[in-house]
Amino acid sequence: MCGIVGYIGNEETCPILLDGLDRLSYRGYDSAGVAVLNEEGKLHISKTRGRLENLGHQLEQSPLYGHIGIGHTRWATHGEPNDVNAHPHFNNAGNIAVVHNGIIENHAQLRKQLTEQGCEFISQTDTEVVAHLLSTLYEGDMKQALLKATKLLKGSYALGVVCEQEADKLFCTRNESPLVVGHKDGKGYIASDIPAMLSHTRDVIFLNDMEVAVLSRGGIEIVNEAGEPAMHELYHVTWDLSNAEKSGYPHFMLKEIHEQPAALQKTFSPRNSADIHDHSWLPFTPEEAKALRKITIVACGTAYHAGIYGKYAIEKLARVPVEVDIASEYRYRSPMLGKNEVFIAISQSGETADTLAALREAKRQNAKALVICNVVGSTIAREAGDANTLFTYAGPEIAVASTKAYSTQVETLLMIALALADMRGTLGEDEIKALQAEIAALPKKAEKAVATEEELKTIAAEECRKGHVFFVGRGLDYALSMEAALKLKEVSYIFSEAYASGELKHGPIALLEDGRLVVTAVTQPDLLDKSLSNIKEIKARDAQVMAICSEDLKDQVAPEVDRLITIPGGDDIVSPLLAIIPLQLFAYCMAVARGCDVDKPRNLAKSVTVE
Ligand code: G6P
């Protein structure tokens, strides 16, 4: 949801800002803009609707020169994505410029007050109030103006500010939207996310809510909301920028699908011990595990689908009831968390506003709250605390459609299920050893699943003009189908929906007709007969069936379907982790065949920091 960057130093600022924005464009790509202070300390702004390339062309025609600037890439919330609503926004004197990620919730009230004070608004955005507000609060010190503004602004914001009055400084502040700052060799950087500054510095500071940072060529001054100096530890980034580059792949989505074997390995290794009873990575004592009465999993989007897998796995292996909810629903339905219950939030980015709010609600109720998260230093991980955060080690995920993060979330949930099963005594030692061996074997098998790409490319070339695609499955295959349907609709814009196979006959079957494509996963041997019956029902309505099935079930499934993709066999609880890979590839190949912008699908953003 919008990305902001800022630079102060002695180099030309525009190329640095554009490079940073390029690395943040997964956060939104409706418009882009920069504000630059030139050598004379005069502020100039260039902004335009559309992708970052448009801004690049505009700056080639009319360059802006200077050594201090801020930049923005937008995911529109308030106001259509046009030139005027593009950031940076500025005050009427044109000497203060602001970029913003988040939503100012009291913008209407502030707009009214500021208008009464004589400010003239030109955009429909919530952000413009910040520029006018700072202008009215400014009394010779932008740091103080920002401290006052943080007390008046309601909602979420990461703000970058430059002004002519203090043309040798770069200012920023945040509340509930991410912001990192860094400084090296007389140059300062601000950004919504680390990749935007990683080619300049590996040592970054995560600002806390309501803190204000003032960056100059000499260093960074950070104060808390009371204006007192705030102490921060430097976080040293160990991962490489190549993780956030395409490395020869045509799209990030394809690269990230291919990275799944390694991501599964990295997420499993630190939690795998020769002693199968060593669960020290999981913040549960055996007593807590035994006393567990319920687990509530809350997440959004793909992470929510991982949560549904978690329900099946934990209930089956550890015999604990699990409730899964969509974060935006959970937080507004007066949830209750009782004694001996545990709350788990899942979030790739660690910034999703609704998931964060759900976590806060769980903490407010004093529940034991864990998070599964992919981004170190993210708000959700920091609020849960290191001890309660289980990191997935998928590495930076750039494509808007989540793939490797999903796999590692599912794998982590499986490991939780297994550890709880051991502590609660619901599985025997041999069963636990066997399942651990299955997880250990996943990376090798996942490589084989990735190798289905060519087959899926061929299928996509023939099927890519289909108007609607249904995904069906039973048990864990249904959980998987939900994610597969989301993947396809996200990247290819084909209407796709998932149904529990048994529910087909209660309505959706009315939509089946000659040529309709139905995709089904068949990986659960105990549900095989039922799944085959459902496939027959679909075929009887002249629909086409494409199945993803485990090698072990191939002989039974092949005669019943029109197209078959096989994945390596294994325990039924592990198979969905393999079956999702061809389904992700299917979505990817369909999107490419349809000429869609795979990594940046229309209207979407990767990090949803608004409700
Ligand atoms: C957005 C992304 C999805 C993601 C969801 C939840 O909608 O486009 O890919 O699954 O947010 O994000 P999170 O970072 O909390 O997992």
Side-chain angles (χ1 to χ4, degrees):
M1 291 292 106
C2 303
I4 71 169
V5 293
Y7 169 76
I8 177 165
N10 47 23
E11 293 170 58
E12 273 311 325
T13 191
C14 272
I16 296 170
L17 297 178
L18 289 180
D19 178 64
L21 290 177
D22 187 32
R23 296 181 191 284
L24 295 184
S25 57
Y26 71 86
R27 303 177 68 86
Y29 29 83
D30 289 331
S31 65
V34 292
V36 175
L37 282 164
N38 70 11
E39 284 298 270
E40 288 79 46
K42 287 285 163 215
L43 192 58
H44 292 282
I45 291 176
S46 180
K47 54 184 186 168
T48 177
R49 65 163 298 161
R51 302 282 165 104
L52 188 60
E53 297 85 72
N54 296 2
L55 178 66
H57 294 142
Q58 187 163 295
L59 284 168
E60 271 168 28
Q61 304 297 315
S62 316
L64 296 185
Y65 299 109
H67 301 149
I68 305 178
I70 50 178
H72 188 269
T73 182
R74 180 170 187 237
W75 187 83
T77 57
H78 294 58
E80 63 176 283
N82 58 24
D83 294 354
V84 176
N85 290 331
H87 299 219
H89 290 282
F90 45 90
N91 61 339
N92 290 139
N95 53 17
I96 297 174
V98 175
V99 286
H100 168 219
N101 163 216
I103 287 187
I104 306 299
E105 285 169 4
N106 58 339
H107 71 97
Q109 180 202 339
L110 287 171
R111 181 182 271 250
K112 188 164 172 284
Q113 285 169 9
L114 290 161
T115 306
E116 281 162 11
Q117 289 172 42
C119 299
E120 282 176 30
F121 282 77
I122 54 172
S123 80
Q124 299 158 301
T125 64
D126 53 332
T127 304
E128 196 184 345
V129 299
V130 182
H132 294 298
L133 184 65
L134 289 173
S135 190
T136 57
L137 294 173
Y138 189 76
E139 291 174 336
D141 185 342
M142 185 53 78
K143 179 178 81 181
Q144 292 301 333
L146 272 164
L147 283 169
K148 284 185 207 156
T150 56
K151 296 179 181 66
L152 299 172
L153 296 170
K154 298 210 169 15
S156 60
Y157 49 82
L159 296 169
V161 179
V162 286
C163 64
E164 291 185 354
Q165 300 87 323
E166 294 171 73
D168 54 351
K169 289 177 192 148
L170 167 64
F171 302 87
C172 61
T173 185
R174 65 156 260 171
N175 184 45
E176 297 185 6
S177 289
L179 192 61
V180 283
V181 298
H183 202 279
K184 194 175 175 196
D185 302 334
K187 296 157 200 163
Y189 308 88
I190 69 170
S192 298
D193 197 2
I194 292 168
M197 63 173 72
L198 199 53
S199 55
H200 308 290
T201 177
R202 290 194 158 270
D203 295 311
V204 303
I205 291 169
F206 298 105
L207 274 201
N208 292 320
D209 281 351
M210 315 290 270
E211 288 180 342
V212 174
V214 184
L215 289 85
S216 62
R217 291 180 179 90
I220 308 177
E221 178 199 359
I222 303 177
V223 293
N224 63 18
E225 58 185 304
E228 298 152 348
M231 299 306 289
H232 275 272
E233 279 180 19
L234 282 180
Y235 172 73
H236 185 72
V237 183
T238 51
W239 47 269
D240 207 57
L241 205 51
S242 66
N243 295 350
E245 282 170 354
K246 284 188 200 148
S247 317
Y249 285 92
H251 299 102
F252 279 112
M253 184 178 176
L254 185 63
K255 176 183 178 239
E256 289 161 7
I257 291 172
H258 278 259
E259 284 172 345
Q260 285 177 111
L264 289 166
Q265 181 67 49
K266 279 191 197 143
T267 303
F268 177 59
S269 296
R271 287 146 190 155
N272 183 30
S273 156
D275 173 8
I276 62 157
H277 304 299
D278 176 5
H279 308 303
S280 47
W281 57 274
L282 187 66
F284 272 102
T285 62
E287 293 68 36
E288 277 175 323
K290 283 196 186 90
L292 253 183
R293 289 186 52 225
K294 192 173 121 189
I295 295 176
T296 301
I297 299 179
V298 175
C300 302
T302 288
Y304 166 72
H305 292 152
I308 294 179
Y309 170 90
K311 173 181 169 67
Y312 281 86
I314 295 170
E315 288 185 346
K316 181 172 179 184
L317 302 183
R319 308 300 299 143
V320 185
V322 180
E323 185 185 329
V324 193
D325 213 341
I326 295 164
S328 55
E329 288 297 311
Y330 178 80
R331 57 183 296 199
Y332 292 116
R333 65 168 177 82
S334 317
M336 286 175 297
L337 288 161
K339 198 162 174 269
N340 298 326
E341 292 188 18
V342 166
F343 172 95
I344 303 180
I346 310 174
S347 176
Q348 186 285 128
S349 63
E351 301 295 347
T352 303
D354 285 313
T355 311
L356 175 61
L359 170 68
R360 287 182 178 160
E361 173 60 24
K363 287 175 74 175
R364 197 187 63 77
Q365 294 194 30
N366 294 320
K368 185 180 176 77
L370 309 186
V371 307
I372 297 175
C373 182
N374 195 42
V375 180
V376 176
S378 59
T379 310
I380 288 178
R382 290 194 301 142
E383 290 211 5
D386 276 354
N388 296 315
T389 303
L390 301 173
F391 284 107
T392 47
Y393 297 106
E397 193 181 60
I398 310 295
V400 166
S402 180
T403 53
K404 59 178 181 171
Y406 170 81
S407 300
T408 53
Q409 286 159 356
V410 167
E411 186 188 38
T412 305
L413 287 159
L414 175 57
M415 287 187 278
I416 293 175
L418 211 50
L420 289 178
D422 185 36
M423 290 193 266
R424 290 168 61 82
T426 50
L427 283 185
E429 197 156 319
D430 289 348
E431 289 168 298
I432 288 169
K433 273 190 188 150
L435 280 174
Q436 274 188 341
E438 290 269 355
I439 303 176
L442 266 173
K444 276 265 161 299
K445 292 184 182 178
E447 277 169 21
K448 290 195 178 148
V450 172
T452 57
E453 184 182 338
E454 283 307 311
E455 274 175 274
L456 287 155
K457 213 183 266 174
T458 311
I459 295 174
E462 290 163 21
E463 301 285 353
C464 67
R465 294 294 147 209
K466 286 274 150 70
H468 298 74
V469 178
F470 290 172
F471 289 80
V472 299
R474 283 179 172 266
L476 281 171
D477 289 334
Y478 172 48
L480 184 65
S481 299
M482 290 184 196
E483 174 56 10
L486 177 66
K487 266 325 58 113
L488 185 65
K489 69 167 79 97
E490 273 182 311
V491 296
S492 75
Y493 316 142
I494 295 174
F495 181 87
S496 46
E497 215 44 84
Y499 298 103
S501 299
E503 273 292 296
L504 263 187
K505 59 180 95 51
H506 298 293
I509 203 164
L511 298 171
L512 294 188
E513 58 189 358
D514 191 10
R516 173 83 63 231
L517 180 62
V518 181
V519 180
T520 182
V522 189
T523 68
Q524 305 293 300
D526 55 335
L527 296 169
L528 179 63
D529 292 343
K530 297 271 179 285
S531 296
L532 291 179
S533 305
N534 294 135
I535 290 173
K536 283 186 201 298
E537 289 161 13
I538 297 165
K539 292 290 301 167
R541 272 78 193 176
D542 292 329
Q544 303 280 302
V545 176
M546 174 172 107
I548 314 291
C549 93
S550 310
E551 252 158 26
D552 326 347
L553 306 178
K554 185 178 170 186
D555 291 345
Q556 293 99 305
V557 178
E560 309 296 338
V561 299
D562 301 285
R563 299 179 186 279
L564 184 68
I565 303 287
T566 51
I567 50 161
D571 189 280
D572 49 353
I573 207 143
V574 175
S575 294
L577 270 155
L578 299 171
I580 191 60
I581 295 174
L583 291 165
Q584 293 164 343
L585 284 165
F586 175 62
Y588 170 78
C589 295
M590 292 283 270
V592 171
R594 288 162 66 88
C596 300
D597 190 346
V598 181
D599 285 337
K600 292 175 188 162
R602 68 182 179 212
N603 305 338
L604 298 182
K606 186 147 192 75
S607 185
V608 182
T609 52
V610 296
E611 288 179 31

